[in-house]
């Protein structure tokens, strides 16, 4: 099969992901304008991580899909292995959609707590604390299987690893500072990105 087939499959998933995210990004911008954020932990580190995420998730895949600039780093995968990439891609879209539905207005692109923030422990959050990050890992696996290029294919896995390892402890600290024992109990009975079923 032509690599273009896999590029199109990836692009469909990517558009679904961006469509799920767009209204939440828009609402968060409005919140910020109306000063409804009570605890904002956006610092130089968070900003750099967001930029890194943009490069891995948006910039490099787009360059690979729409220009020949990265073609020197192409690799080949058997069709069956590339097609398996549809599974993590579909899983990622489903999980992102459910997570946003459950998290509602409490979502934010950087680390912040809103004035009327509610701790969400239901829906997919019943089993894992970081379903959105789990969804990004799944997108990263799909990207490596569908975009056959050492730079664009591996870009999300490579850039998201430091984002994940640096961000999660800071996010959990922020949640503990704001929700105390309620979050501590919640942490004890849930998994991070691997669901824990009690
Ligand atoms: N780590 C979560 C959420 C990512 S969005 C996930 O992967 O699904 C990041 C924001 O979500 C944080 O700024 C925090 O304010 C909020 N948040 C994280 N966990 C939450 C929870 N259980 N309930 C409510 N808000 C939460």
């Amino acid at each position: 099969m032509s690599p273009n087939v896999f590029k199109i499959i990836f692009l469909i998933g990517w558009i679904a992901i961006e469509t799920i995210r767009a209204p939440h990004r828009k609402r968060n911008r409005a919140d910020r304008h109306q000063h409804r954020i009570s605890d904002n932990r956006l610092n130089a580190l968070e900003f750099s991580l967001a930029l890194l995420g943009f490069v891995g998730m948006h910039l490099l895949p787009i360059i690979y899909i729409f220009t020949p600039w990265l073609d020197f780093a192409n690799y080949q995968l058997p069709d069956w292995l590339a097609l398996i990439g549809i599974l993590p891609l579909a899983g990622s879209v489903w999980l992102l959609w459910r997570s946003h539905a459950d998290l509602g207005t409490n979502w934010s692109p950087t680390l912040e707590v809103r004035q009327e923030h509610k701790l969400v422990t239901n829906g997919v959050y019943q089993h894992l604390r970081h379903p959105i990050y789990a969804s990004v890992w799944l997108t990263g696996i799909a990207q490596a299987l569908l975009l056959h290029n050492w730079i664009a294919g591996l870009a999300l896995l490579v850039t998201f690893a430091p984002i994940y390892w640096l961000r999660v402890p800071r996010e959990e600290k922020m949640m503990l500072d704001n929700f105390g024992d309620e979050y501590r109990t919640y942490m004890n009975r849930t998994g991070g990105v691997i669901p824990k079923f009690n």
Side-chain angles (χ1 to χ4, degrees):
M1 271 187 224
S2 148
N4 287 341
V5 173
F6 305 123
K7 287 183 183 178
I8 291 169
I9 294 172
F10 180 78
L11 211 50
I12 291 170
W14 193 83
I15 290 168
I17 288 169
E18 290 308 306
T19 309
I20 293 169
R21 290 204 153 132
H24 299 282
R25 286 209 179 102
K26 195 169 162 204
R27 194 198 49 238
N28 178 265
R29 274 198 298 275
D31 274 359
R32 202 158 302 163
H33 282 133
Q34 293 162 19
H35 306 290
R36 280 197 291 231
I37 311 291
S38 62
D39 183 349
N40 185 351
R41 303 203 181 182
L42 176 64
N43 56 13
L45 174 72
E46 270 297 311
F47 184 78
S48 316
L49 293 180
L51 209 61
L52 195 63
F54 171 75
V55 171
M57 195 172 213
H58 299 89
L59 193 61
L60 291 173
I62 292 295
I63 291 176
Y64 165 72
I65 291 172
F66 293 106
T67 78
W69 302 341
L70 297 178
D71 284 357
F72 66 90
N74 283 352
Y75 55 68
Q76 285 204 321
L77 280 188
D79 287 350
W80 66 268
L81 192 54
L83 288 172
I84 283 181
I86 296 174
L87 295 177
L89 190 63
S92 153
V93 170
W94 179 84
L95 193 56
L96 188 70
W97 167 60
R98 284 314 316 155
S99 306
H100 273 298
D102 292 332
L103 198 55
T105 55
N106 302 295
W107 176 85
S108 57
T110 59
L111 293 186
E112 55 194 33
V113 169
R114 301 172 79 248
Q115 274 161 17
E116 312 91 18
H117 208 103
K118 267 191 58 196
L119 180 64
V120 176
T121 60
N122 62 310
V124 281
Y125 286 87
Q126 204 176 327
H127 306 293
L128 70 173
R129 296 189 295 286
H130 304 298
I132 292 181
Y133 302 156
S135 157
V136 177
W137 280 122
L138 288 173
T139 311
I141 295 168
Q143 192 165 315
L145 292 172
L146 290 164
L147 303 186
H148 302 165
N149 182 277
W150 288 111
I151 299 169
L154 296 183
L156 185 53
L157 289 177
V158 169
T159 56
F160 192 59
I163 299 177
Y164 179 78
W165 298 117
L166 290 168
R167 189 174 179 175
V168 164
R170 297 186 66 238
E171 178 169 327
E172 295 189 336
K173 162 115 184 23
M174 178 186 76
M175 296 306 280
L176 282 168
D177 289 348
N178 282 276
F179 294 95
D181 283 344
E182 203 186 344
Y183 194 73
R184 205 163 287 118
T185 323
Y186 171 62
M187 280 180 93
N188 287 335
R189 64 180 165 82
T190 49
V193 283
I194 314 275
K196 187 159 141 188
F197 294 96
N198 297 300

